mmCIF file of all heavy atoms in Angstrom:
data_model
loop_
_atom_site.group_PDB
_atom_site.id
_atom_site.type_symbol
_atom_site.label_atom_id
_atom_site.label_comp_id
_atom_site.label_asym_id
_atom_site.label_seq_id
_atom_site.Cartn_x
_atom_site.Cartn_y
_atom_site.Cartn_z
ATOM 1 N N PRO A 1 0.801 -1.226 0.000
ATOM 2 C CA PRO A 1 0.000 0.000 0.000
ATOM 3 C C PRO A 1 0.836 1.280 0.000
ATOM 4 O O PRO A 1 0.485 2.262 -0.672
ATOM 5 C CB PRO A 1 -0.834 -0.114 1.291
ATOM 6 C CG PRO A 1 -0.895 -1.570 1.572
ATOM 7 C CD PRO A 1 0.413 -2.129 1.088
ATOM 8 N N TYR A 2 1.934 1.285 0.746
ATOM 9 C CA TYR A 2 2.775 2.484 0.789
ATOM 10 C C TYR A 2 3.425 2.735 -0.568
ATOM 11 O O TYR A 2 3.457 3.874 -1.057
ATOM 12 C CB TYR A 2 3.853 2.340 1.859
ATOM 13 C CG TYR A 2 4.800 3.524 1.890
ATOM 14 C CD1 TYR A 2 4.400 4.735 2.447
ATOM 15 C CD2 TYR A 2 6.076 3.430 1.338
ATOM 16 C CE1 TYR A 2 5.255 5.828 2.455
ATOM 17 C CE2 TYR A 2 6.937 4.516 1.340
ATOM 18 C CZ TYR A 2 6.526 5.713 1.907
ATOM 19 O OH TYR A 2 7.369 6.793 1.893
ATOM 20 N N GLU A 3 3.925 1.675 -1.188
ATOM 21 C CA GLU A 3 4.554 1.822 -2.494
ATOM 22 C C GLU A 3 3.538 2.256 -3.553
ATOM 23 O O GLU A 3 3.860 3.029 -4.456
ATOM 24 C CB GLU A 3 5.236 0.519 -2.896
ATOM 25 C CG GLU A 3 6.460 0.195 -2.048
ATOM 26 C CD GLU A 3 7.147 -1.080 -2.484
ATOM 27 O OE1 GLU A 3 6.680 -1.704 -3.465
ATOM 28 O OE2 GLU A 3 8.144 -1.458 -1.838
ATOM 29 N N ARG A 4 2.300 1.760 -3.431
ATOM 30 C CA ARG A 4 1.252 2.199 -4.351
ATOM 31 C C ARG A 4 0.972 3.689 -4.174
ATOM 32 O O ARG A 4 0.795 4.427 -5.147
ATOM 33 C CB ARG A 4 -0.041 1.409 -4.134
ATOM 34 C CG ARG A 4 -0.048 0.034 -4.735
ATOM 35 C CD ARG A 4 -1.460 -0.476 -4.971
ATOM 36 N NE ARG A 4 -2.293 -0.432 -3.779
ATOM 37 C CZ ARG A 4 -2.325 -1.367 -2.852
ATOM 38 N NH1 ARG A 4 -1.537 -2.434 -2.960
ATOM 39 N NH2 ARG A 4 -3.124 -1.267 -1.812
ATOM 40 N N ALA A 5 0.938 4.120 -2.911
ATOM 41 C CA ALA A 5 0.711 5.538 -2.635
ATOM 42 C C ALA A 5 1.833 6.395 -3.214
ATOM 43 O O ALA A 5 1.589 7.476 -3.776
ATOM 44 C CB ALA A 5 0.590 5.768 -1.128
ATOM 45 N N GLN A 6 3.067 5.907 -3.104
ATOM 46 C CA GLN A 6 4.205 6.640 -3.670
ATOM 47 C C GLN A 6 4.107 6.723 -5.186
ATOM 48 O O GLN A 6 4.406 7.768 -5.785
ATOM 49 C CB GLN A 6 5.513 5.954 -3.254
ATOM 50 C CG GLN A 6 5.862 6.096 -1.786
ATOM 51 C CD GLN A 6 6.060 7.558 -1.389
ATOM 52 O OE1 GLN A 6 6.917 8.247 -1.915
ATOM 53 N NE2 GLN A 6 5.236 8.029 -0.457
ATOM 54 N N ALA A 7 3.687 5.635 -5.817
ATOM 55 C CA ALA A 7 3.532 5.632 -7.276
ATOM 56 C C ALA A 7 2.477 6.647 -7.703
ATOM 57 O O ALA A 7 2.662 7.393 -8.674
ATOM 58 C CB ALA A 7 3.157 4.238 -7.764
ATOM 59 N N ARG A 8 1.389 6.724 -6.939
ATOM 60 C CA ARG A 8 0.333 7.701 -7.268
ATOM 61 C C ARG A 8 0.833 9.128 -7.056
ATOM 62 O O ARG A 8 0.486 10.034 -7.815
ATOM 63 C CB ARG A 8 -0.910 7.420 -6.424
ATOM 64 C CG ARG A 8 -1.608 6.104 -6.791
ATOM 65 C CD ARG A 8 -2.895 5.919 -5.994
ATOM 66 N NE ARG A 8 -3.579 4.712 -6.412
ATOM 67 C CZ ARG A 8 -3.694 3.614 -5.667
ATOM 68 N NH1 ARG A 8 -3.147 3.580 -4.449
ATOM 69 N NH2 ARG A 8 -4.349 2.562 -6.110
ATOM 70 N N PHE A 9 1.643 9.323 -6.017
ATOM 71 C CA PHE A 9 2.220 10.654 -5.776
ATOM 72 C C PHE A 9 3.068 11.090 -6.965
ATOM 73 O O PHE A 9 2.936 12.210 -7.467
ATOM 74 C CB PHE A 9 3.073 10.627 -4.510
ATOM 75 C CG PHE A 9 3.932 11.865 -4.353
ATOM 76 C CD1 PHE A 9 3.414 13.010 -3.783
ATOM 77 C CD2 PHE A 9 5.254 11.878 -4.810
ATOM 78 C CE1 PHE A 9 4.196 14.150 -3.662
ATOM 79 C CE2 PHE A 9 6.035 13.011 -4.688
ATOM 80 C CZ PHE A 9 5.509 14.161 -4.112
ATOM 81 N N TRP A 10 3.963 10.205 -7.423
ATOM 82 C CA TRP A 10 4.845 10.560 -8.524
ATOM 83 C C TRP A 10 4.074 10.711 -9.839
ATOM 84 O O TRP A 10 4.437 11.538 -10.682
ATOM 85 C CB TRP A 10 5.962 9.529 -8.660
ATOM 86 C CG TRP A 10 7.032 9.697 -7.630
ATOM 87 C CD1 TRP A 10 7.303 8.880 -6.575
ATOM 88 C CD2 TRP A 10 7.968 10.777 -7.548
ATOM 89 N NE1 TRP A 10 8.344 9.380 -5.831
ATOM 90 C CE2 TRP A 10 8.785 10.544 -6.409
ATOM 91 C CE3 TRP A 10 8.203 11.917 -8.313
ATOM 92 C CZ2 TRP A 10 9.798 11.405 -6.032
ATOM 93 C CZ3 TRP A 10 9.228 12.773 -7.932
ATOM 94 C CH2 TRP A 10 10.014 12.520 -6.810
ATOM 95 N N ALA A 11 3.011 9.952 -10.000
ATOM 96 C CA ALA A 11 2.183 10.102 -11.197
ATOM 97 C C ALA A 11 1.572 11.502 -11.241
ATOM 98 O O ALA A 11 1.551 12.159 -12.298
ATOM 99 C CB ALA A 11 1.087 9.040 -11.224
ATOM 100 N N LYS A 12 1.091 11.954 -10.093
ATOM 101 C CA LYS A 12 0.520 13.303 -10.018
ATOM 102 C C LYS A 12 1.599 14.353 -10.253
ATOM 103 O O LYS A 12 1.355 15.372 -10.925
ATOM 104 C CB LYS A 12 -0.133 13.500 -8.645
ATOM 105 C CG LYS A 12 -1.016 14.731 -8.524
ATOM 106 C CD LYS A 12 -1.741 14.734 -7.191
ATOM 107 C CE LYS A 12 -2.674 15.945 -7.069
ATOM 108 N NZ LYS A 12 -3.789 15.875 -8.028
ATOM 109 N N PHE A 13 2.795 14.110 -9.736
ATOM 110 C CA PHE A 13 3.912 15.034 -9.944
ATOM 111 C C PHE A 13 4.267 15.120 -11.428
ATOM 112 O O PHE A 13 4.470 16.213 -11.969
ATOM 113 C CB PHE A 13 5.126 14.561 -9.146
ATOM 114 C CG PHE A 13 6.348 15.408 -9.349
ATOM 115 C CD1 PHE A 13 6.542 16.539 -8.579
ATOM 116 C CD2 PHE A 13 7.288 15.083 -10.319
ATOM 117 C CE1 PHE A 13 7.664 17.344 -8.775
ATOM 118 C CE2 PHE A 13 8.405 15.869 -10.515
ATOM 119 C CZ PHE A 13 8.596 17.010 -9.740
ATOM 120 N N ILE A 14 4.358 13.976 -12.095
ATOM 121 C CA ILE A 14 4.690 13.949 -13.520
ATOM 122 C C ILE A 14 3.661 14.733 -14.319
ATOM 123 O O ILE A 14 4.003 15.527 -15.197
ATOM 124 C CB ILE A 14 4.782 12.497 -14.023
ATOM 125 C CG1 ILE A 14 6.027 11.811 -13.436
ATOM 126 C CG2 ILE A 14 4.824 12.436 -15.553
ATOM 127 C CD1 ILE A 14 6.042 10.310 -13.629
ATOM 128 N N GLU A 15 2.396 14.524 -13.986
ATOM 129 C CA GLU A 15 1.318 15.188 -14.717
ATOM 130 C C GLU A 15 1.302 16.688 -14.468
ATOM 131 O O GLU A 15 1.226 17.487 -15.414
ATOM 132 C CB GLU A 15 -0.021 14.567 -14.307
ATOM 133 C CG GLU A 15 -1.219 15.170 -15.024
ATOM 134 C CD GLU A 15 -2.526 14.552 -14.563
ATOM 135 O OE1 GLU A 15 -2.614 14.150 -13.385
ATOM 136 O OE2 GLU A 15 -3.455 14.486 -15.373
ATOM 137 N N GLU A 16 1.395 17.085 -13.185
ATOM 138 C CA GLU A 16 1.186 18.481 -12.834
ATOM 139 C C GLU A 16 2.453 19.326 -12.929
ATOM 140 O O GLU A 16 2.378 20.506 -13.286
ATOM 141 C CB GLU A 16 0.612 18.580 -11.419
ATOM 142 C CG GLU A 16 -0.792 17.998 -11.311
ATOM 143 C CD GLU A 16 -1.407 18.207 -9.941
ATOM 144 O OE1 GLU A 16 -0.680 18.679 -9.021
ATOM 145 O OE2 GLU A 16 -2.598 17.901 -9.785
ATOM 146 N N LYS A 17 3.607 18.753 -12.599
ATOM 147 C CA LYS A 17 4.843 19.532 -12.577
ATOM 148 C C LYS A 17 5.603 19.435 -13.898
ATOM 149 O O LYS A 17 6.046 20.450 -14.435
ATOM 150 C CB LYS A 17 5.737 19.058 -11.422
ATOM 151 C CG LYS A 17 7.005 19.876 -11.242
ATOM 152 C CD LYS A 17 6.713 21.305 -10.834
ATOM 153 C CE LYS A 17 7.999 22.081 -10.574
ATOM 154 N NZ LYS A 17 7.750 23.476 -10.192
ATOM 155 N N CYS A 18 5.745 18.219 -14.426
ATOM 156 C CA CYS A 18 6.544 18.040 -15.639
ATOM 157 C C CYS A 18 5.703 18.221 -16.903
ATOM 158 O O CYS A 18 5.984 19.080 -17.741
ATOM 159 C CB CYS A 18 7.188 16.653 -15.644
ATOM 160 S SG CYS A 18 8.272 16.336 -14.248
ATOM 161 N N GLY A 19 4.658 17.420 -17.013
ATOM 162 C CA GLY A 19 3.862 17.434 -18.239
ATOM 163 C C GLY A 19 3.247 18.775 -18.550
ATOM 164 O O GLY A 19 3.309 19.263 -19.678
ATOM 165 N N ARG A 20 2.651 19.389 -17.542
ATOM 166 C CA ARG A 20 1.981 20.677 -17.767
ATOM 167 C C ARG A 20 2.977 21.739 -18.231
ATOM 168 O O ARG A 20 2.692 22.529 -19.138
ATOM 169 C CB ARG A 20 1.286 21.106 -16.473
ATOM 170 C CG ARG A 20 0.356 22.291 -16.627
ATOM 171 C CD ARG A 20 -0.436 22.487 -15.349
ATOM 172 N NE ARG A 20 -1.317 21.345 -15.081
ATOM 173 C CZ ARG A 20 -1.964 21.164 -13.919
ATOM 174 N NH1 ARG A 20 -1.804 22.030 -12.934
ATOM 175 N NH2 ARG A 20 -2.748 20.119 -13.757
ATOM 176 N N ALA A 21 4.170 21.756 -17.634
ATOM 177 C CA ALA A 21 5.179 22.748 -18.021
ATOM 178 C C ALA A 21 5.688 22.495 -19.439
ATOM 179 O O ALA A 21 5.895 23.438 -20.215
ATOM 180 C CB ALA A 21 6.339 22.719 -17.026
ATOM 181 N N ILE A 22 5.892 21.234 -19.776
ATOM 182 C CA ILE A 22 6.397 20.894 -21.115
ATOM 183 C C ILE A 22 5.406 21.325 -22.194
ATOM 184 O O ILE A 22 5.784 21.949 -23.191
ATOM 185 C CB ILE A 22 6.687 19.390 -21.188
ATOM 186 C CG1 ILE A 22 7.918 19.045 -20.346
ATOM 187 C CG2 ILE A 22 6.903 18.946 -22.649
ATOM 188 C CD1 ILE A 22 8.083 17.560 -20.084
ATOM 189 N N TRP A 23 4.132 21.005 -21.993
ATOM 190 C CA TRP A 23 3.128 21.379 -22.994
ATOM 191 C C TRP A 23 2.906 22.883 -23.036
ATOM 192 O O TRP A 23 2.647 23.444 -24.116
ATOM 193 C CB TRP A 23 1.823 20.638 -22.726
ATOM 194 C CG TRP A 23 1.904 19.185 -23.081
ATOM 195 C CD1 TRP A 23 2.112 18.138 -22.230
ATOM 196 C CD2 TRP A 23 1.829 18.617 -24.386
ATOM 197 N NE1 TRP A 23 2.164 16.952 -22.924
ATOM 198 C CE2 TRP A 23 1.988 17.211 -24.248
ATOM 199 C CE3 TRP A 23 1.636 19.146 -25.653
ATOM 200 C CZ2 TRP A 23 1.957 16.341 -25.334
ATOM 201 C CZ3 TRP A 23 1.607 18.281 -26.739
ATOM 202 C CH2 TRP A 23 1.757 16.907 -26.587
ATOM 203 N N THR A 24 3.036 23.554 -21.889
ATOM 204 C CA THR A 24 2.900 25.008 -21.877
ATOM 205 C C THR A 24 4.030 25.660 -22.659
ATOM 206 O O THR A 24 3.811 26.596 -23.444
ATOM 207 C CB THR A 24 2.898 25.542 -20.427
ATOM 208 O OG1 THR A 24 1.770 24.995 -19.736
ATOM 209 C CG2 THR A 24 2.812 27.063 -20.403
ATOM 210 N N ALA A 25 5.255 25.182 -22.484
ATOM 211 C CA ALA A 25 6.393 25.730 -23.226
ATOM 212 C C ALA A 25 6.224 25.532 -24.727
ATOM 213 O O ALA A 25 6.556 26.420 -25.519
ATOM 214 C CB ALA A 25 7.686 25.086 -22.744
ATOM 215 N N TYR A 26 5.720 24.374 -25.106
ATOM 216 C CA TYR A 26 5.489 24.106 -26.530
ATOM 217 C C TYR A 26 4.432 25.050 -27.107
ATOM 218 O O TYR A 26 4.560 25.511 -28.247
ATOM 219 C CB TYR A 26 5.040 22.656 -26.710
ATOM 220 C CG TYR A 26 4.445 22.363 -28.073
ATOM 221 C CD1 TYR A 26 5.255 22.200 -29.188
ATOM 222 C CD2 TYR A 26 3.068 22.256 -28.234
ATOM 223 C CE1 TYR A 26 4.698 21.944 -30.435
ATOM 224 C CE2 TYR A 26 2.507 21.998 -29.470
ATOM 225 C CZ TYR A 26 3.329 21.842 -30.571
ATOM 226 O OH TYR A 26 2.777 21.590 -31.808
ATOM 227 N N GLY A 27 3.412 25.383 -26.330
ATOM 228 C CA GLY A 27 2.269 26.112 -26.867
ATOM 229 C C GLY A 27 2.225 27.584 -26.538
ATOM 230 O O GLY A 27 1.178 28.217 -26.699
ATOM 231 N N THR A 28 3.349 28.170 -26.067
ATOM 232 C CA THR A 28 3.363 29.593 -25.736
ATOM 233 C C THR A 28 4.623 30.259 -26.284
ATOM 234 O O THR A 28 5.493 29.606 -26.847
ATOM 235 C CB THR A 28 3.305 29.799 -24.207
ATOM 236 O OG1 THR A 28 4.405 29.120 -23.593
ATOM 237 C CG2 THR A 28 2.000 29.283 -23.630
ATOM 238 N N GLN A 29 4.701 31.570 -26.056
ATOM 239 C CA GLN A 29 5.876 32.353 -26.448
ATOM 240 C C GLN A 29 6.270 33.292 -25.315
ATOM 241 O O GLN A 29 5.544 33.443 -24.331
ATOM 242 C CB GLN A 29 5.571 33.169 -27.710
ATOM 243 C CG GLN A 29 5.456 32.349 -28.985
ATOM 244 C CD GLN A 29 5.210 33.248 -30.191
ATOM 245 O OE1 GLN A 29 4.287 34.039 -30.220
ATOM 246 N NE2 GLN A 29 6.056 33.116 -31.199
ATOM 247 N N GLY A 30 7.439 33.928 -25.481
ATOM 248 C CA GLY A 30 7.857 34.981 -24.568
ATOM 249 C C GLY A 30 8.085 34.516 -23.151
ATOM 250 O O GLY A 30 8.599 33.429 -22.897
ATOM 251 N N GLU A 31 7.696 35.369 -22.194
ATOM 252 C CA GLU A 31 7.969 35.097 -20.780
ATOM 253 C C GLU A 31 7.275 33.834 -20.287
ATOM 254 O O GLU A 31 7.838 33.089 -19.477
ATOM 255 C CB GLU A 31 7.534 36.296 -19.928
ATOM 256 C CG GLU A 31 8.383 37.536 -20.146
ATOM 257 C CD GLU A 31 7.960 38.680 -19.229
ATOM 258 O OE1 GLU A 31 7.047 38.457 -18.389
ATOM 259 O OE2 GLU A 31 8.541 39.774 -19.341
ATOM 260 N N GLU A 32 6.064 33.596 -20.753
ATOM 261 C CA GLU A 32 5.344 32.394 -20.330
ATOM 262 C C GLU A 32 6.080 31.128 -20.765
ATOM 263 O O GLU A 32 6.191 30.157 -20.008
ATOM 264 C CB GLU A 32 3.924 32.392 -20.903
ATOM 265 C CG GLU A 32 3.058 31.271 -20.353
ATOM 266 C CD GLU A 32 1.624 31.335 -20.856
ATOM 267 O OE1 GLU A 32 1.303 32.233 -21.673
ATOM 268 O OE2 GLU A 32 0.827 30.479 -20.441
ATOM 269 N N LYS A 33 6.620 31.169 -21.976
ATOM 270 C CA LYS A 33 7.392 30.040 -22.486
ATOM 271 C C LYS A 33 8.672 29.841 -21.674
ATOM 272 O O LYS A 33 9.011 28.711 -21.290
ATOM 273 C CB LYS A 33 7.727 30.264 -23.959
ATOM 274 C CG LYS A 33 8.543 29.171 -24.619
ATOM 275 C CD LYS A 33 8.798 29.513 -26.077
ATOM 276 C CE LYS A 33 9.685 28.492 -26.752
ATOM 277 N NZ LYS A 33 9.964 28.835 -28.166
ATOM 278 N N GLU A 34 9.381 30.935 -21.388
ATOM 279 C CA GLU A 34 10.628 30.847 -20.624
ATOM 280 C C GLU A 34 10.382 30.290 -19.223
ATOM 281 O O GLU A 34 11.149 29.455 -18.727
ATOM 282 C CB GLU A 34 11.277 32.229 -20.536
ATOM 283 C CG GLU A 34 11.813 32.733 -21.876
ATOM 284 C CD GLU A 34 12.365 34.137 -21.781
ATOM 285 O OE1 GLU A 34 12.416 34.677 -20.647
ATOM 286 O OE2 GLU A 34 12.754 34.691 -22.820
ATOM 287 N N LYS A 35 9.321 30.744 -18.575
ATOM 288 C CA LYS A 35 8.994 30.249 -17.237
ATOM 289 C C LYS A 35 8.650 28.756 -17.283
ATOM 290 O O LYS A 35 9.068 27.977 -16.417
ATOM 291 C CB LYS A 35 7.824 31.019 -16.645
ATOM 292 C CG LYS A 35 7.462 30.562 -15.233
ATOM 293 C CD LYS A 35 6.278 31.336 -14.680
ATOM 294 C CE LYS A 35 5.984 30.918 -13.228
ATOM 295 N NZ LYS A 35 5.753 29.467 -13.086
ATOM 296 N N ALA A 36 7.908 28.359 -18.306
ATOM 297 C CA ALA A 36 7.516 26.951 -18.433
ATOM 298 C C ALA A 36 8.738 26.067 -18.653
ATOM 299 O O ALA A 36 8.810 24.952 -18.119
ATOM 300 C CB ALA A 36 6.518 26.789 -19.570
ATOM 301 N N ILE A 37 9.708 26.547 -19.426
ATOM 302 C CA ILE A 37 10.939 25.782 -19.646
ATOM 303 C C ILE A 37 11.679 25.571 -18.327
ATOM 304 O O ILE A 37 12.126 24.462 -18.017
ATOM 305 C CB ILE A 37 11.850 26.492 -20.668
ATOM 306 C CG1 ILE A 37 11.207 26.461 -22.065
ATOM 307 C CG2 ILE A 37 13.227 25.834 -20.714
ATOM 308 C CD1 ILE A 37 11.935 27.307 -23.095
ATOM 309 N N LYS A 38 11.781 26.623 -17.524
ATOM 310 C CA LYS A 38 12.453 26.510 -16.222
ATOM 311 C C LYS A 38 11.706 25.548 -15.302
ATOM 312 O O LYS A 38 12.312 24.745 -14.590
ATOM 313 C CB LYS A 38 12.575 27.886 -15.572
ATOM 314 C CG LYS A 38 13.559 28.810 -16.285
ATOM 315 C CD LYS A 38 13.624 30.175 -15.610
ATOM 316 C CE LYS A 38 14.589 31.093 -16.338
ATOM 317 N NZ LYS A 38 14.623 32.447 -15.717
ATOM 318 N N ASP A 39 10.371 25.637 -15.318
ATOM 319 C CA ASP A 39 9.564 24.738 -14.486
ATOM 320 C C ASP A 39 9.754 23.284 -14.919
ATOM 321 O O ASP A 39 9.844 22.377 -14.073
ATOM 322 C CB ASP A 39 8.081 25.110 -14.590
ATOM 323 C CG ASP A 39 7.745 26.403 -13.866
ATOM 324 O OD1 ASP A 39 8.570 26.856 -13.041
ATOM 325 O OD2 ASP A 39 6.659 26.955 -14.115
ATOM 326 N N ALA A 40 9.816 23.065 -16.227
ATOM 327 C CA ALA A 40 10.006 21.703 -16.742
ATOM 328 C C ALA A 40 11.378 21.163 -16.344
ATOM 329 O O ALA A 40 11.506 20.005 -15.935
ATOM 330 C CB ALA A 40 9.846 21.691 -18.263
ATOM 331 N N GLU A 41 12.402 22.001 -16.475
ATOM 332 C CA GLU A 41 13.753 21.580 -16.098
ATOM 333 C C GLU A 41 13.818 21.214 -14.614
ATOM 334 O O GLU A 41 14.437 20.211 -14.235
ATOM 335 C CB GLU A 41 14.744 22.703 -16.414
ATOM 336 C CG GLU A 41 14.961 22.926 -17.905
ATOM 337 C CD GLU A 41 15.809 24.155 -18.187
ATOM 338 O OE1 GLU A 41 15.934 25.024 -17.292
ATOM 339 O OE2 GLU A 41 16.335 24.253 -19.310
ATOM 340 N N GLU A 42 13.174 22.023 -13.785
ATOM 341 C CA GLU A 42 13.157 21.754 -12.350
ATOM 342 C C GLU A 42 12.423 20.447 -12.051
ATOM 343 O O GLU A 42 12.884 19.624 -11.244
ATOM 344 C CB GLU A 42 12.474 22.910 -11.616
ATOM 345 C CG GLU A 42 12.376 22.713 -10.105
ATOM 346 C CD GLU A 42 11.613 23.836 -9.433
ATOM 347 O OE1 GLU A 42 11.546 24.945 -9.997
ATOM 348 O OE2 GLU A 42 11.066 23.590 -8.339
ATOM 349 N N GLY A 43 11.285 20.239 -12.717
ATOM 350 C CA GLY A 43 10.518 19.020 -12.507
ATOM 351 C C GLY A 43 11.269 17.784 -12.944
ATOM 352 O O GLY A 43 11.259 16.754 -12.245
ATOM 353 N N LEU A 44 11.944 17.854 -14.073
ATOM 354 C CA LEU A 44 12.711 16.713 -14.560
ATOM 355 C C LEU A 44 13.881 16.390 -13.636
ATOM 356 O O LEU A 44 14.223 15.216 -13.451
ATOM 357 C CB LEU A 44 13.206 16.982 -15.985
ATOM 358 C CG LEU A 44 12.126 17.031 -17.072
ATOM 359 C CD1 LEU A 44 12.714 17.541 -18.383
ATOM 360 C CD2 LEU A 44 11.496 15.663 -17.269
#
């Protein structure tokens, strides 16, 4: 159960921290794009 909970935690992290930033960087320009790139790098 603990390991399952950890897997769900990291799944949420991948979705919210990494994935969202990566797609935002792809679909924006300027400052929003630069911030998303930094967020993605930090998440990875």
Side-chain angles (χ1 to χ4, degrees):
Y2 177 76
E3 291 182 1
R4 282 202 306 276
Q6 290 298 300
R8 292 184 177 110
F9 168 84
W10 283 110
K12 192 173 182 67
F13 177 86
I14 290 167
E15 181 181 31
E16 294 185 352
K17 184 65 176 179
C18 301
R20 190 171 296 169
I22 289 166
W23 287 99
T24 298
Y26 166 77
T28 57
Q29 288 182 306
E31 292 183 3
E32 188 176 2
K33 179 180 176 181
E34 291 176 5
K35 181 181 183 304
I37 292 172
K38 291 179 181 178
D39 288 344
E41 290 173 341
E42 179 184 336
L44 291 170

